[in-house]
Amino acid sequence: MSVRILVLGSGGREHALTWRLAQSPLVDHIYVCPGNPGTSQEPKTTNVSNISSNDFPALVKFAIEQQVNLVVPGPEQPLVDGVEGFFRKVGIPVFGPSALAARMEGSKAFSKDFMARHNIPTAKYKTFKASEFDAAVDYIKSCGHDVVLKASGLAAGKGVLIPQSLEEAISGLKEIMVDNVFGDAGSEVVVEELLTGPEISVLAMSDGYSIVALPAAQDHKRIGEGDTGSNTGGMGAYAPAPVATPAILDRILKESLRPTIDGMRKEGFMLTPDGPKVLEYNVRFGDPETEALMLLLDKDVDLAALLLACVEHRLDSVPVKFRDGVAVTVVLASKGYPGSYEKGKVISFGDIPSDVVVFQAGTKQSGKDVVTAGGRVLAVTSFAPTLESALKLAYAGVDQVSFEGKTYRRDIAYRALKDVTKKNGGLTYAEAGVSVDAGNALVEAIKPFVRATSRPGADAEIGGFGGVFDLKACGFQDAVLVSGTDGVGTKLRVAVDAAIHSFVGIDLVAMSVNDLLVQGAEPLYFLDYYGCSRLDVSIAAEVVKSIAEGCKQAGCALIGGETAEMPGMYMEGTLCSTHMKCMHAERFLGDYDLAGFAVGAVERNLILPRNNIAAGDVLLGVASSGLHSNGFSLVRKILATTGLSYTSPCPWKPDTELGRALLEPTQIYISQILPVARRGLIKGMSHITGGGFVENIPRVLPKHLGCYVDASTWELPPVFRFLLKTGNVDPLEMARTFNNGIGMVLIVDPAHVDEVVQALSTGPKAVYRIGEVTDRPGVEMRNVMRWAA
C-alpha cells in the first residue's frame, strides 16, 4: 500500500510527526500545511504554504487532487472546528476525533461533565457562565478548598490560573469573566479543586475499542526554573516519567482511559488519539511531549501503519514497542515569551550530537537563513539509555544552537533526577505499594499550613524527627502539663463517603483541645497521625490543612505528625458502586484514619475541676456548632432508612448538601472560655461528647453530687429535631447520645453567674443557664419530652 499523508500544523509536534512518518516504507509522500523550514527538509515531504490550514474545503480539494489517503491534524483548533467531518464526507480518514468528540478538549466544562457521568476520577468542580461572576465568587468563598481557575475554551495552553489566596482567586475570576483576558475561551469558567502532587501526561491511541498507551511524560509548563513564572505551551518534557510506575499506569488505563473510550462510544462519538489526565483531556498529540515520544518509539514500529490501524479500527493487529531508555525535549523560546517578543532573529545550527534531533517550531525561511517566527522556536530532543545521559545530550544540542534572546529552562526533569536509581532487578518500596515520593510531596504541600500555626514556644516547622516546644517562652510560673488524645470517630466515615475532607481536621483538634480546656489548660501544641492504604496527596493535604486551621482556632502549634501508608490495612479506592457503605455515586478514593495528641499547660492553682463544687452551683451551657464528633454511628443508621444521599439537599438546611451539613466541625471553645477560667470564675467544665449529658457531666462532679439539666432552657437545634423525629429516637436516648445543642457545660458559683455570662457573651457561641448541681448523684433530665412535641 502506498500512503500519502497530509499533516496539518507548523510546530515542533508536526515536525516530529513528519520526521517519524518519513521513515515509514509505506509512505509515498507527506504534505505539511503550512509546515516550517524543518519539515521541508525531511525526506518525501513538501510544505503546502499556499493554502490556509483553516480553509477546510480547499484542503479537501487539495487532498483529493494529490490522492491523500490519511490526514493527521497536529493542533487542537482544526479538530474543534470540525476538520474531521470535511474529510470524512469525501472518504479520507482523519487521525483525530469528530467535532463533537473534540469538545473533550475544546470545552473543559463539557469534559468535566463527561467525567462525572462516567465516574472517571477528577477534581471537584463547578462551572459558571461569564454572566455569573457573583455566583462564582460566592462559590470560591464557601467551597472549602483551594481552587484552580480554567477558561473552558481553547486558550493555547495558557487559560489556567492557580491563585495563591482568596483575593487572587477573585481577581483571577474577574480577569477571565469580566476583563476577557482569554477572549471567548473565558465565556465559561471551570472552578476546580486544586490538586497537589506530580502531574503526568499519558497520550494514548485508540480505534474506539483497543487502547495503546504511550509512555507517560512530564511537561514543564512554567517559563521559569523550579516551575515559577507564567504558564506557557510547554518548555520541555521527558519520558518515561519515573513517577508513573506500572501500577499507576494500570490504574490510569482502568480508571481513566478505558471508561473514557467506552463512554464516548456509548454517547455516540469517537475519540482516536486521546490524552486523558486527572486534570483535563487532550484530543491530539501533546506538544512538547510528542517530540520526546517519537524518539522513544522502537525503530521497528511503523508510525504510518499504526495511525492507519487506528482509523481502520484494527489497532490490536499492530504491535507497538518502545525503546529502553529516556527521551528529553528542551524548548528554546524567544526572549519575552509567553508575553510579547521580537521575531526575525537569525538561527545558527552547529554540530548537533548524534541521538539529538532539533525539531523546528516557531521558525520561517528568510532567504538563506532560518529565523525566529514564534514564541517557542525549537525543540531540542535527545535519546539515551538513562535520564542523566539524555539530559546531557539534549543540553549539548542546546549549546550548538544560537539566536539572539535564546531562552530555555536548565532544569528539565529536575523532579525525576533525585529519584533516579540504578536498576538492580530487586523489589522496591514503591512496588510494595508505598510511595516515598507521595510522602515527600505531602510534606511540601502542608508546610505553609503548618507554618501558619506558629506561636511562642514553637516555630511550627515540620520535616524533622520530632517536634520541639519551649515551655519557658510561654510565661508560666508553676505549670502543670495536661495531655489529651482523641480521634474523630465514625464521623470520619461520613467524610470519606461524602468526599469532603476540609473539616475533619478541625474536629480532630477540637476533640483533644476541648478536653484540655475542661482542666483549665491552654493548648500549647498538637501532633497528628494520618494512616491510609494508598497516600492520595491531595486528600491528605486537605485534611492536614484543616488540622492546621483547628490549631489556629485553638491557639496551639502543629509541631509534628505521622503519615503512615500501609497497603492492605485500609480499604483501597474503588468506584462507589462497588462500595456498599457509600451513600453517593461519586468515586470512593479509599479509607484513611486520624488520631491526634495535644499537650497544654495550666498554673497549678487553676487546675479544674476544683474541690469546692457544691449543691446549688449553676450549670451554664455553651452552644454547640452542630453534631460535633459524637453519635455518628446512630446518625448513619438513621440516614440509611431515609433514602437520602450525602449530595441530597439537607432537610433542615435546603441550600446545603446533606454531607456538608453533617460535617459542620466541632466548636473549639478555647478563645471564648479560657480567659474566664484563668480568672478563677469556673469550678468545673464538662465537654459533651459521646455519652451526651448523662455520661459526661458526672465525670467532673464529686461522687456524692449530681445535677439536673432543664431541656426547656434552650431550643433544640434542627439537626437534632430531624434525627429524633426521623429515627423515632427516645428523648432520653438523645440526651445520652448527642450534645443536643450544648457542647460545653460550665459549673459556676451562683454569685459569679452574671459575671461569667457577661464575659462569655463576647464569644461566638450563645450561653444558657441550663441547670444546677444537686445532692443526688446522677443526671436528672427535666422537660426533655418537650423535644418530641
Side-chain angles (χ1 to χ4, degrees):
M1 178 182 180
S2 180
V3 181
R4 298 172 73 82
I5 300 173
L6 172 61
V7 175
L8 303 181
S10 62
R13 163 185 47 215
E14 290 75 42
H15 187 181
L17 290 169
T18 301
W19 171 80
R20 185 70 198 216
L21 288 168
Q23 299 171 29
S24 168
L26 296 177
V27 171
D28 175 63
H29 203 82
I30 304 168
Y31 300 95
V32 188
C33 179
N36 62 43
T39 57
S40 68
Q41 296 171 10
E42 299 300 336
K44 302 185 287 188
T45 302
T46 303
N47 284 353
V48 181
S49 57
N50 61 333
I51 302 175
S52 169
S53 58
N54 299 320
D55 189 347
F56 300 158
L59 288 173
V60 169
K61 182 175 182 294
F62 172 84
I64 294 172
E65 291 172 349
Q66 301 301 324
Q67 298 181 320
V68 166
N69 41 24
L70 178 64
V71 178
V72 183
E76 62 273 19
Q77 192 66 59
L79 294 166
V80 172
D81 292 342
V83 69
E84 184 272 343
F86 280 83
F87 284 96
R88 174 163 33 88
K89 289 178 181 178
V90 297
I92 300 176
V94 174
F95 182 75
S98 67
L100 177 59
R103 291 184 67 193
M104 295 288 277
E105 180 169 2
S107 170
K108 293 181 176 64
F110 177 86
S111 65
K112 294 291 283 190
D113 291 342
F114 175 91
M115 287 184 267
R117 287 196 301 275
H118 295 283
N119 291 319
I120 296 169
T122 186
K124 291 181 285 189
Y125 74 101
K126 195 163 185 179
T127 59
F128 299 90
K129 301 292 185 184
S131 60
E132 298 176 307
F133 174 74
D134 291 339
V137 171
D138 290 342
Y139 176 74
I140 64 173
K141 287 181 177 179
S142 61
C143 65
H145 54 71
D146 293 333
V147 299
V148 177
L149 309 178
K150 294 183 176 181
S152 181
L154 297 179
K158 306 180 187 70
V160 178
L161 301 179
I162 306 177
Q164 303 299 310
S165 65
L166 177 62
E167 292 73 20
E168 283 190 25
I170 295 173
S171 176
L173 283 176
K174 183 176 181 295
E175 289 180 13
I176 298 174
M177 304 176 77
V178 179
D179 300 337
N180 296 317
V181 295
F182 299 122
D184 291 341
S187 61
E188 191 171 22
V189 64
V190 176
V191 181
E192 189 175 87
E193 173 193 14
L194 174 66
L195 299 181
T196 58
E199 177 183 335
I200 57 174
S201 300
V202 180
L203 279 69
M205 298 181 184
S206 176
D207 60 4
Y209 296 90
S210 300
I211 301 170
V212 172
L214 280 62
Q218 281 198 310
D219 189 7
H220 297 62
K221 285 292 185 186
R222 302 281 191 170
I223 185 66
E225 293 171 14
D227 288 321
T228 58
S230 303
N231 262 350
T232 71
M235 291 300 294
Y238 66 99
V243 71
T245 64
I248 289 175
L249 290 174
D250 184 61
R251 291 192 64 187
I252 290 171
L253 178 63
K254 292 177 180 177
E255 298 176 11
S256 297
L257 289 171
R258 173 51 62 194
T260 295
I261 297 302
D262 291 347
M264 298 180 82
R265 190 171 60 251
K266 290 174 184 176
E267 295 194 14
F269 52 86
M270 202 59 61
L271 178 69
T272 305
D274 174 34
K277 297 184 276 189
V278 171
L279 298 179
E280 62 186 23
Y281 287 103
N282 288 341
V283 296
R284 38 71 198 179
F285 282 111
D287 190 351
E289 297 96 329
T290 301
E291 288 88 319
L293 291 171
M294 289 302 101
L295 267 68
L296 272 184
L297 272 179
D298 190 89
K299 292 183 178 180
D300 291 335
V301 174
D302 188 321
L303 181 61
L306 188 59
L307 301 189
L308 286 169
C310 286
V311 300
E312 294 170 0
H313 308 293
R314 51 177 182 83
L315 180 58
D316 58 353
S317 68
V318 179
V320 182
K321 297 183 296 181
F322 301 95
R323 301 163 76 185
D324 290 330
V326 180
V328 171
T329 295
V330 179
V331 170
L332 306 186
S334 297
K335 183 179 180 180
Y337 176 77
S340 60
Y341 52 86
E342 295 182 1
K343 302 178 182 179
K345 306 299 182 181
V346 175
I347 305 170
S348 63
F349 299 90
D351 186 12
I352 305 299
S354 60
D355 277 328
V356 174
V357 182
V358 179
F359 295 116
Q360 297 191 32
T363 64
K364 72 175 184 178
Q365 196 75 37
S366 178
K368 295 182 179 181
D369 295 324
V370 175
V371 300
T372 64
R376 293 188 296 168
V377 179
L378 302 168
V380 180
T381 306
S382 66
F383 173 84
T386 67
L387 176 61
E388 296 98 322
S389 53
L391 284 165
K392 185 176 180 180
L393 269 174
Y395 282 110
V398 168
D399 290 341
Q400 293 299 313
V401 179
S402 63
F403 57 89
E404 184 183 338
K406 181 176 76 172
T407 300
Y408 63 97
R409 282 181 57 166
R410 295 167 175 82
D411 65 342
I412 300 302
Y414 73 95
R415 293 187 193 92
L417 281 175
K418 63 181 180 182
D419 300 324
V420 173
T421 57
K422 293 182 180 179
K423 295 182 179 180
N424 56 17
L427 290 174
T428 66
Y429 209 15
E431 289 171 318
V434 179
S435 173
V436 175
D437 294 335
N440 292 336
L442 175 62
V443 170
E444 292 305 313
I446 66 178
K447 277 184 176 180
F449 311 142
V450 174
R451 195 173 294 124
T453 71
S454 179
R455 56 153 293 162
D459 59 8
E461 286 291 335
I462 59 170
F465 288 98
V468 176
F469 192 93
D470 181 5
L471 192 60
K472 184 179 292 186
C474 297
F476 286 97
Q477 302 300 313
D478 184 20
V480 174
L481 292 180
V482 183
S483 61
T485 186
D486 214 330
V488 180
T490 54
K491 186 175 187 178
L492 189 59
R493 177 79 270 152
V494 177
V496 171
D497 287 351
I500 299 174
H501 311 283
S502 304
F503 307 106
V504 288
I506 299 175
D507 288 297
L508 184 68
V509 176
M511 296 302 289
S512 291
V513 300
N514 285 344
D515 284 350
L516 302 185
L517 178 62
V518 300
Q519 296 177 81
E522 172 192 354
L524 301 177
Y525 59 86
F526 189 85
L527 299 99
D528 67 85
Y529 168 86
Y530 181 98
C532 60
S533 181
R534 180 181 63 85
L535 182 60
D536 186 305
V537 175
S538 63
I539 292 177
E542 195 171 352
V543 172
V544 176
K545 181 180 180 181
S546 67
I547 292 173
E549 174 57 31
C551 288
K552 288 164 64 178
Q553 292 181 23
C556 63
L558 179 56
I559 66 171
E562 168 69 5
T563 301
E565 189 175 23
M566 299 181 289
M569 286 292 291
Y570 299 94
M571 185 177 292
E572 290 278 6
T574 61
L575 296 181
C576 274
S577 59
T578 65
H579 179 46
M580 298 305 294
K581 295 180 181 179
C582 194
M583 296 181 63
H584 64 115
E586 296 178 9
R587 181 171 174 267
F588 171 63
L589 290 172
D591 282 336
Y592 60 87
D593 195 16
L594 287 177
F597 178 76
V599 172
V602 56
E603 296 290 0
R604 193 178 303 273
N605 65 318
L606 293 176
I607 295 175
L608 297 179
R610 297 171 66 176
N611 59 12
N612 62 343
I613 296 176
D617 285 341
V618 174
L619 302 186
L620 296 178
V622 186
S624 70
S625 55
L627 287 166
H628 288 188
S629 294
N630 53 290
F632 271 85
S633 293
L634 179 56
V635 171
R636 291 170 57 236
K637 192 172 184 67
I638 292 171
L639 289 178
T641 69
T642 65
L644 294 170
S645 75
Y646 291 133
T647 57
S648 299
C650 175
W652 62 91
K653 194 176 181 183
D655 60 342
T656 303
E657 289 187 354
L658 177 58
R660 171 62 184 88
L662 292 174
L663 291 170
E664 185 65 32
T666 303
Q667 182 64 37
I668 295 176
Y669 293 100
I670 305 301
S671 63
Q672 185 170 8
I673 298 177
L674 184 60
V676 182
R678 282 176 165 168
R679 291 165 58 183
L681 298 175
I682 298 174
K683 290 186 175 184
M685 281 186 264
S686 177
H687 184 199
I688 308 303
T689 59
F693 300 111
V694 176
E695 301 293 338
N696 283 292
I697 299 177
R699 294 167 65 181
V700 297
L701 295 174
K703 290 185 178 181
H704 67 284
L705 297 179
C707 68
Y708 74 82
V709 174
D710 186 350
S712 68
T713 57
W714 76 95
E715 188 73 21
L716 186 69
V719 58
F720 299 104
R721 289 193 179 278
F722 169 81
L723 294 170
L724 183 148
K725 181 178 179 181
T726 306
N728 194 26
V729 183
D730 184 273
L732 286 174
E733 182 66 20
M734 294 287 293
R736 62 178 294 170
T737 304
F738 300 112
N739 67 62
N740 297 290
I742 301 296
M744 191 73 77
V745 172
L746 315 183
I747 303 172
V748 179
D749 189 292
H752 296 146
V753 169
D754 291 343
E755 185 178 358
V756 171
V757 170
Q758 177 63 32
L760 294 175
S761 65
T762 60
K765 291 299 175 183
V767 182
Y768 308 94
R769 182 167 178 160
I770 64 170
E772 291 185 4
V773 177
T774 66
D775 55 9
R776 292 183 57 188
V779 177
E780 177 191 359
M781 293 300 302
R782 297 181 182 178
N783 296 314
V784 72
M785 299 308 294
R786 293 182 55 174
W787 288 348

